[in-house]
Amino acid sequence: MDITGLQPSKAHVEPGAEYLARLPGRDHGSAWYDPVAKHHVGADEPYARSVASKERDAWARRHNWSIARPEWPGMYYPGSCELYLYADASKGYSLDGLLKALSKGPSPIVPANCDRVAIDGRAPFVTPGEKAKAEAKLARNVQRKATAPRGPNTTVEYRLPLSGMRRRRPKAAMPVDAHARIGTLLKGVLTDMRARAGVYKRVDAVRSELDDWVQCEHDRAAMPDEVFFDLYYGENSAGGTSKAGEQHIEDLRLAQSILMQHYPDCAPLRDLVGKIDLAVISLEKLR
């Protein structure tokens, strides 16, 4: 923001409201506004191994948009993800000024060059204010009469990277090979269902949630980067069709079964199972 003058925005950047107008393979996207040119710019930071350059170039030509990769590594997982900027070229907007400005940017802050804070990356970070508030609440509760014992807790809190948003996940760790199996099943459906938003959006939401969970459940010793990057992302979307079939329904049901084998019954799990149910219903309507 300091270097480019761009401002964060909640605007829809892609051309048109149709789901197919979305930049292919977009991941960790964000929207920005150029107050001088009065124009919106999209930022996209997919994992390096999942970028389908030919498909993205074809998308840019089809919509008359420009897409470029700055020299500056990016904001989300620099080094493993790649930063791309894209904007509507039909309105005369050029990305050259932003690329030039970012080329002079300092190195992004990553664990390798930051030794100020050392925390368990899988646990939520608690600020001093939050800690003081929790201690005060605990002190008040100690003074109250104990309530009836509660049942076993089947979920645990975690915090999303960058946004800091707090979520809950099952209090269990599914093996990496089970995550890989589910990822393969989901990516197979996503590859063929890009043109079917009712299926694609729900399955995409499931894989996004599981991508967060697996990072909380396993460290790099159990799950090296080269394994993690291929678990839930990197499907070949270039050959996507609207074709539906019994195999996709069977694959989603199998993914459901694996999830229910490894996670306890809880609200976060039921939410994923429900999304898969809705995706299956959409698939059944195509038959």
Side-chain angles (χ1 to χ4, degrees):
M1 292 169 61
D2 216 20
I3 294 173
T4 64
L6 294 177
Q7 300 173 355
S9 172
K10 295 183 179 180
H12 177 82
V13 176
E14 272 84 353
E18 296 83 3
Y19 192 70
L20 285 176
R22 170 175 168 163
L23 177 67
R26 191 188 74 179
D27 198 9
H28 313 130
S30 55
W32 301 85
Y33 180 69
D34 185 334
V36 176
K38 301 186 184 304
H39 200 286
H40 284 93
V41 178
D44 174 45
E45 300 185 77
Y47 291 112
R49 296 177 62 181
S50 67
V51 177
S53 299
K54 291 183 179 179
E55 187 180 4
R56 291 156 72 92
D57 291 343
W59 176 90
R61 289 193 299 272
R62 183 166 64 252
H63 296 287
N64 195 14
W65 278 50
S66 56
I67 180 170
R69 181 183 174 190
E71 295 179 13
W72 193 65
M75 301 168 284
Y76 188 99
Y77 214 150
S80 295
C81 292
E82 297 178 346
L83 172 63
Y84 292 86
L85 300 179
Y86 57 103
D88 189 350
S90 67
K91 298 181 179 179
Y93 188 83
S94 172
L95 295 172
D96 291 345
L98 298 178
L99 297 177
K100 184 177 180 180
L102 286 172
S103 69
K104 302 176 182 178
S107 298
I109 296 177
V110 295
N113 61 26
C114 177
D115 57 3
R116 287 183 172 184
V117 179
I119 62 172
D120 182 351
R122 295 171 293 168
F125 176 71
V126 181
T127 68
E130 290 173 328
K131 185 177 180 181
K133 185 177 180 180
E135 290 174 349
K137 182 178 180 180
L138 179 61
R140 290 195 302 269
N141 290 340
V142 169
Q143 297 174 4
R144 299 173 182 171
K145 184 178 179 180
T147 58
R150 300 174 61 183
N153 189 3
T154 56
T155 66
V156 63
E157 183 182 88
Y158 72 100
R159 186 172 293 187
L160 294 177
L162 299 184
S163 71
M165 183 182 299
R166 290 177 173 177
R167 303 283 293 274
R168 298 200 71 84
R169 62 178 178 85
K171 195 174 183 179
M174 183 163 64
V176 174
D177 59 351
H179 276 287
R181 178 63 175 138
I182 293 176
T184 299
L185 295 169
L186 298 184
K187 287 191 287 186
V189 176
L190 290 165
T191 297
D192 284 343
M193 291 292 113
R194 277 198 71 233
R196 295 289 182 177
V199 179
Y200 190 95
K201 285 185 177 180
R202 285 153 179 158
V203 178
D204 187 44
V206 171
R207 66 117 165 241
S208 178
E209 189 83 0
L210 290 172
D211 184 69
D212 290 334
W213 290 4
V214 72
Q215 295 178 71
C216 298
E217 295 169 6
H218 300 284
D219 57 22
R220 290 189 175 182
M223 183 182 62
D225 284 351
E226 59 268 20
V227 173
F228 165 63
F229 294 150
D230 285 335
L231 285 180
Y232 289 106
Y233 288 89
E235 77 277 7
N236 178 16
S237 59
T241 68
S242 60
K243 178 182 177 182
E246 292 293 336
Q247 187 60 53
H248 290 325
I249 295 176
E250 291 179 9
D251 287 348
L252 290 177
R253 290 303 187 199
L254 177 56
Q256 268 185 331
S257 175
I258 297 173
L259 286 171
M260 295 166 69
Q261 289 174 24
H262 292 283
Y263 290 126
D265 179 40
C266 58
L269 175 64
R270 291 193 293 271
D271 180 62
L272 290 196
V273 170
K275 285 184 172 69
I276 294 177
D277 282 337
L278 292 174
V280 168
I281 291 173
S282 295
L283 280 168
E284 290 174 338
K285 290 180 180 178
L286 300 177
R287 290 189 298 187

